[in-house]
Amino acid sequence: MTTSQTSAPLAATADRTAAARPLRTFLALDAAVTAANGLIYLVAAGPVGDLLDLSPGFLRGIGVFLTVYGALVALLASRPVPSATATKAVIEANVLWAVASVATAVFGWFDPNTVGTVWIPLQAAVVAAFAVLQFNSLRALGR
């Protein structure tokens, strides 16, 4: 094998890794925001529950889920080229979360106060934005 033949696959891998940078960035941001939100719900469930008029137990449960989910998304973001299948699962979970959050606010589930009713769709908008950014980045990779 000549040098040009062995360096071609390395160059293709480097190009693909560079092309995946936006996707990794959006996954990492999603992971950081999600895990931080989860940790706040875990550590400060009482005060946050008072602020939003939601049960501290409910917030702790959500906090555990968000913290674990954030860690898994961070693991995915750490890959040079994140798995398309796993990324699609993150996108779908984000869309589901955003839709469920809006439905929660619209139908008044969990009966939050005004602050909670405003907070729920605001965080849904952030999650939906991550889904759009991740979807577009994945599509740009041709996956």
Side-chain angles (χ1 to χ4, degrees):
M1 236 181 241
T2 66
T3 304
S4 64
Q5 289 175 332
T6 56
S7 63
L10 293 175
T13 300
D15 289 345
R16 189 140 180 83
T17 300
R21 187 170 294 123
L23 176 59
R24 289 193 323 269
T25 298
F26 296 133
L27 287 168
L29 286 171
D30 184 359
V33 168
T34 301
N37 198 29
L39 289 172
I40 289 168
Y41 288 170
L42 277 172
V43 173
V48 173
D50 290 343
L51 177 66
L52 305 176
D53 196 22
L54 293 171
S55 159
F58 173 72
L59 289 175
R60 281 188 197 97
I62 296 291
V64 168
F65 171 78
L66 292 176
T67 303
V68 171
Y69 180 77
L72 292 172
V73 175
L75 181 63
L76 179 62
S78 73
R79 303 291 188 234
V81 179
S83 156
T85 302
T87 300
K88 288 174 186 175
V90 168
I91 293 165
E92 290 169 2
N94 284 345
V95 168
L96 180 61
W97 182 274
V99 169
S101 295
V102 169
T104 296
V106 168
F107 296 115
W109 298 334
F110 306 109
D111 199 28
N113 61 16
T114 302
V115 175
T117 301
V118 170
W119 170 250
I120 291 169
L122 284 177
Q123 61 82 33
V126 171
V127 173
F130 280 133
V132 168
L133 292 167
Q134 293 158 355
F135 176 80
N136 289 335
S137 296
L138 188 62
R139 192 171 64 182
L141 282 173
R143 298 168 104 195

